[in-house]
Amino acid sequence: MGKYILLNLKKFFRKEQGIFILCIGCIFLSCIAMLSAYGLFGIYIVKKSAEEQNLSDIEFRFTEDVTRGEFQQAILKLPQELNDKIISYYVDINISEEYPEWNQSRVDFHFTVKNGEIVPSQFFVDNGIKVGNLLHYFTEEQEKNGELVALVTSYPEEQKKLDIQDNKVIFLGKEYQIIATQEWSYVMVPFLSLDEDTILYKSSPSITLAEPITKKDYDLFHNTMVEKLDGKVAFPDYEIPDLNILYRYNTILLVNLFIIGAAALNFSLLYRYMLIKRRGELAIFRTCGLRKGKAALLYLGECIGLVLPGTAAAFGCFHWLILPLLAKVHGDIVTLYSPVIYGKLIAGYLAVTFVILAVVIGMELRSSSLTLLLRGKRYE
């Protein structure tokens, strides 16, 4: 039987190259669409869940004294890929003892990490300019080098409480050159201008991300902070969606079953067109004694010869070519695809395809030999 199946496939290719290529293309593109939809819809579901929980801002606290130098070293140990997603680090220091006359007890700092160096947070700067609290801010070089430059309050009554002389302000024992004013705080200075042993305020640090944090990134940030700060940090119990648990079992049957069914139906309709054109040939074979069951097996064998290579090529192309491209945009999408998931998707696609094909072939074989012969002449 295998010999006849191969002969039929060769004949199919020689006589109907256009339909043959359409069948293979339909299988290939259907599998690519199914695989892409699985991952992209998963990313959408998880991000939507994370947005509902406002997981773009992650707060934590220090359980013991943490210095500026210790925190700097800890965040620089994070992979740059993760730091690229963090658009602002926020920490502050307690200055209530040094400046009891101020109407604020803390001075805050907003920065991020770029190419392994601490630089001003553009997110904070843009927001400050938008609401009118900032007109100027530190340059990247001023922050990187920890230059002694300052932005002081623009309110005269608050300026009276600052130690300002010759356009310089004394802050925490250092003389800072005033480069501009602002309406955010009494004084703002670069984070790296602080002494390395400056103690950070315990209950206020946080990070802001461009998009809701994923469980993978949260675990990486959490574990790195705990390790590099010797356990002197604690995090709230965030319920961060797991890309695999939340998505895999809730949507694989809903979304991909529809795509698989539509793809299988498209291929089945193309193959039915070929069966219609071969009705005359089938009628002759039936007259010569070919049984319906054997004819059905021959046709299913042809379908297997078309579907399996097309499916294998599609899965290989997706895994080695398309998935790496998707990962550049959605890094966590790779975690959705494991050998088990690939196996389930392949099994589901093949099962649905062959069930629909069996129905189509069965309907075509119901007619008598004479009826097939008469119908077939219309398509010759």
Side-chain angles (χ1 to χ4, degrees):
M1 184 179 293
K3 179 181 178 182
Y4 291 109
I5 291 173
L6 291 176
L7 288 174
N8 282 340
L9 287 174
K10 290 179 181 179
K11 183 179 177 181
F12 183 12
F13 179 73
R14 286 198 307 268
K15 290 190 173 184
E16 299 289 346
Q17 286 190 7
I19 300 299
F20 185 91
I21 293 173
L22 277 176
C23 287
I24 296 296
C26 177
I27 295 166
F28 183 87
L29 294 177
S30 296
C31 289
I32 295 295
M34 172 185 66
L35 290 165
S36 300
Y38 173 82
L40 293 175
F41 190 69
I43 293 292
Y44 166 75
I45 290 294
V46 172
K47 285 186 176 180
K48 182 178 179 181
S49 176
E51 287 173 355
E52 291 173 352
Q53 300 181 57
N54 192 29
L55 293 178
S56 294
D57 296 295
I58 302 298
E59 298 179 351
F60 51 99
R61 63 184 179 86
F62 302 128
T63 56
E64 299 178 36
D65 288 345
V66 172
T67 66
R68 190 274 289 172
E70 289 175 327
F71 188 68
Q72 176 187 353
Q73 292 302 314
I75 63 177
L76 292 181
K77 291 297 182 180
L78 291 168
Q80 187 58 49
E81 180 182 353
L82 176 54
N83 268 322
D84 287 340
K85 300 177 183 179
I86 299 173
I87 55 179
S88 183
Y89 284 92
Y90 167 81
V91 294
D92 54 16
I93 58 175
N94 191 335
I95 45 87
S96 58
E97 293 185 5
E98 291 85 351
Y99 302 97
E101 70 278 10
W102 290 10
N103 294 330
Q104 65 182 64
S105 60
R106 300 191 296 250
V107 170
D108 49 277
F109 302 86
H110 306 262
F111 51 88
T112 186
V113 176
K114 179 180 178 182
N115 298 324
E117 295 184 286
I118 290 180
V119 298
S121 166
Q122 194 61 44
F123 170 77
F124 171 74
V125 175
D126 291 342
N127 280 343
I129 293 175
K130 183 178 180 180
V131 300
N133 290 329
L134 296 176
L135 294 178
H136 303 281
Y137 204 65
F138 314 118
T139 65
E140 288 192 1
E141 291 303 316
Q142 288 171 336
E143 179 63 84
K144 288 178 184 178
N145 299 327
E147 295 183 18
L148 299 181
V149 292
L151 306 175
V152 299
T153 177
S154 60
Y155 297 112
E157 290 301 317
E158 292 182 348
Q159 285 188 7
K160 293 178 182 179
K161 299 179 182 180
L162 299 177
D163 186 358
I164 298 177
Q165 298 177 8
D166 299 327
N167 203 39
K168 294 180 180 180
V169 60
I170 305 299
F171 178 66
L172 296 180
K174 293 183 179 182
E175 191 176 72
Y176 287 83
Q177 181 71 42
I178 299 174
I179 58 174
T181 60
Q182 39 75 29
E183 297 179 2
W184 181 267
S185 172
Y186 272 79
V187 64
M188 303 180 76
V189 300
F191 180 63
L192 294 187
S193 72
L194 299 175
D195 291 334
E196 284 198 7
D197 59 358
T198 301
I199 303 299
L200 303 180
Y201 194 69
K202 291 182 179 180
S203 63
S204 63
S206 66
I207 60 173
T208 300
L209 297 96
E211 296 183 350
I213 197 167
T214 63
K215 191 172 190 310
K216 176 185 175 183
D217 287 341
Y218 175 79
D219 289 342
L220 179 58
F221 182 79
H222 173 278
N223 294 338
T224 302
M225 290 296 103
V226 171
E227 178 186 351
K228 301 305 178 182
L229 295 177
D230 298 324
K232 297 187 292 186
V233 61
F235 289 78
D237 293 329
Y238 287 109
E239 294 182 4
I240 297 177
D242 189 302
L243 206 59
N244 294 288
I245 295 175
L246 175 65
Y247 170 64
R248 182 180 298 165
Y249 300 104
N250 290 343
T251 62
I252 187 172
L253 293 179
L254 297 177
V255 177
N256 286 282
L257 189 59
F258 173 79
I259 295 175
I260 289 171
L265 185 60
N266 287 336
F267 173 68
S268 299
L269 291 175
L270 284 172
Y271 190 72
R272 184 173 182 270
Y273 172 75
M274 284 306 305
L275 292 180
I276 291 174
K277 297 194 70 173
R278 292 161 64 180
R279 280 174 175 171
E281 181 183 284
L282 176 60
I284 294 172
F285 287 154
R286 291 273 302 278
T287 302
C288 294
L290 179 65
R291 291 174 297 185
K292 289 183 180 181
K294 193 168 185 179
L297 290 177
L298 283 171
Y299 288 144
L300 282 174
E302 286 183 22
C303 294
I304 291 174
L306 292 170
V307 172
L308 290 184
T311 302
F315 273 72
C317 177
F318 178 83
H319 184 74
W320 282 294
L321 296 179
I322 297 177
L323 186 57
L325 294 177
L326 293 175
K328 291 182 179 180
V329 181
H330 306 288
D332 294 320
I333 198 172
V334 176
T335 63
L336 283 172
Y337 298 94
S338 65
V340 173
I341 288 302
Y342 278 132
K344 288 182 178 180
L345 292 174
I346 291 174
Y349 178 75
L350 295 179
V352 173
T353 298
F354 289 128
V355 167
I356 295 178
L357 281 170
V359 173
V360 170
I361 292 171
M363 293 174 62
E364 193 64 25
L365 293 176
R366 287 187 308 173
S367 304
S368 65
S369 299
L370 179 59
T371 303
L372 289 171
L373 185 60
L374 293 174
R375 290 178 177 174
K377 287 184 176 297
R378 290 183 295 176
Y379 294 90
E380 292 179 352

